[in-house]
Amino acid sequence: MIEIGLAGWGDHNDLYRSGVAARNKLKAYSSHFPVVEVDSSFYAIQAASTFEKWSKETPNEFGFIVKAYQGMTGHDRKGMAYEAEAEMFRKFIHSIEPIRQSGKLKSVLFQYPPWFDCTREHVHTLKKARHLMGNMPLSLEFRHQSWFTPDMRARTLTFMEQQHWAHSICDEPQAGQGSVPIVPHPTNPDVTLVRFHGRNVSGWKSHGQTNWRDVRYLYHYNKQELSEWRERLLTLQQHSKHIYVIFNNNSGGHAAQNAKDLIQLLGITYEGLGPRQLDLFE
């Protein structure tokens, strides 16, 4: 099954009727898409009560892809906010327990930074993260080309299979070592994640500039590009039971429309979405 959604639900104003309150946006979002990526968990470990609230606000079949906390993936290089690594992982696992209990946790996404290259030390880091997360469903996304060079690609994919990491396949700008190519190879029979980051090379390289968030994911996928992905997704579906597709190209507000375009191209109709809120004269 291919389930398509967006990264976050707060910024996609084209989905919501005018004046909808922030507290009601997730409920409104769930009337459009069956899955969402939680990005706030990357910046801080959320309270378990927050995930419990989100679970109650969404339909029974709704799913969450939860991004791992930045301290768990080495993004936060200023120093660990927790006294011990194991404690940090325990608190994260506790925080997402409500959606795991409800069956709505589809995967925890470990997206590693551009400087996380293919070394023995970093392979050990991945093994340790897998161990600390127990039997949680995990997805793995790289941002350094060294994992997928011709001599390392097969070894990387085999390692992911052996360690039970689902592959987070990326469509992103090809901008040197700090990006990865499209590698449409599933590593888990249950789950494969596909994330669309856009193809804005200059914006991708703007990290650190004051306006980088406004341009990094500024991209609109055209119909030909999405049609190419239609064929890839149908092939991936033969090897993974669940394909979760997340559009993250929202610097210019293109994610929601591209997601709906792809749903239409695939001819998908989702059952069990939340009730659609209608405008006064609709």
Side-chain angles (χ1 to χ4, degrees):
M1 183 174 186
I2 301 171
E3 298 183 43
I4 299 171
L6 312 177
W9 59 84
D11 298 330
H12 309 287
N13 292 324
D14 50 328
L15 287 179
Y16 312 124
R17 57 189 172 86
S18 178
V20 64
R23 65 179 181 276
N24 295 325
K25 284 187 175 180
L26 176 57
K27 188 180 295 184
Y29 172 97
S30 70
S31 69
H32 294 270
F33 301 107
V35 66
V36 73
E37 179 181 299
V38 179
D39 290 338
S40 56
S41 54
F42 173 79
Y43 298 101
I45 295 178
Q46 304 296 306
S49 59
T50 299
F51 279 104
E52 183 175 10
K53 175 178 177 291
W54 292 341
S55 181
K56 290 179 178 177
E57 289 177 351
T58 50
N60 291 336
E61 300 304 317
F62 192 81
F64 293 90
I65 306 293
V66 182
K67 211 169 179 184
Y69 172 57
Q70 60 182 333
M72 297 159 61
T73 53
H75 282 83
D76 185 2
R77 295 194 285 185
K78 297 177 183 178
M80 191 181 296
Y82 295 87
E83 291 185 5
E85 186 178 30
E87 175 197 7
M88 174 173 58
F89 274 76
R90 281 196 301 270
K91 289 192 174 183
F92 180 87
I93 291 170
H94 173 74
S95 75
I96 64 176
E97 182 63 15
I99 57 170
R100 191 191 70 81
Q101 290 277 4
S102 67
K104 295 184 178 183
L105 175 64
K106 303 309 177 184
S107 191
V108 178
L109 169 63
F110 277 71
Q111 177 198 296
Y112 284 87
W115 55 86
F116 191 85
D117 56 353
C118 184
T119 64
R120 188 179 300 275
E121 177 187 1
H122 288 155
V123 168
H124 176 73
T125 298
L126 295 175
K127 289 181 178 179
K128 188 174 184 181
R130 174 74 267 186
H131 172 73
L132 289 170
M133 291 300 294
N135 62 356
M136 287 278 180
L138 304 183
S139 300
L140 177 57
E141 180 172 321
F142 295 113
R143 284 281 173 87
H144 196 282
Q145 280 189 356
S146 58
W147 297 94
F148 293 122
T149 57
D151 59 329
M152 291 305 300
R153 171 175 162 157
R155 294 176 66 183
T156 295
L157 294 169
T158 298
F159 168 78
M160 292 170 68
E161 292 171 1
Q162 293 171 343
Q163 292 286 311
H164 307 292
W165 289 96
H167 189 187
S168 176
I169 301 166
C170 297
D171 186 302
E172 65 189 32
Q174 297 306 289
Q177 285 192 331
S179 60
V180 295
I182 297 172
V183 181
H185 184 102
T187 58
N188 187 293
D190 293 321
V191 173
T192 294
L193 185 59
V194 177
R195 298 178 78 227
F196 285 84
H197 300 301
R199 300 179 181 180
N200 184 347
V201 175
S202 60
W204 194 258
K205 293 180 176 179
S206 68
H207 195 288
Q209 298 180 17
T210 55
N211 68 333
W212 74 274
R213 290 184 185 278
D214 296 331
V215 297
R216 184 167 171 82
Y217 303 107
L218 181 60
Y219 192 80
H220 178 81
Y221 287 91
N222 61 42
K223 185 163 287 188
Q224 179 179 343
E225 291 166 336
L226 293 177
S227 294
E228 292 169 359
W229 266 105
R230 177 186 182 276
E231 301 310 313
R232 289 192 187 106
L233 291 170
L234 292 175
T235 299
L236 288 170
Q237 192 179 23
Q238 299 174 27
H239 303 282
S240 275
K241 184 177 180 181
H242 299 284
I243 310 292
Y244 300 109
V245 179
I246 298 294
F247 279 86
N248 190 36
N249 57 321
N250 200 49
S251 291
H254 298 121
Q257 186 56 58
N258 274 163
K260 293 200 169 190
D261 290 341
L262 185 57
I263 290 171
Q264 185 175 19
L265 276 172
L266 287 162
I268 296 173
T269 300
Y270 293 116
E271 303 292 339
L273 296 179
R276 186 70 61 89
Q277 296 291 319
L278 301 179
D279 287 322
L280 181 61
F281 295 104
E282 194 170 1

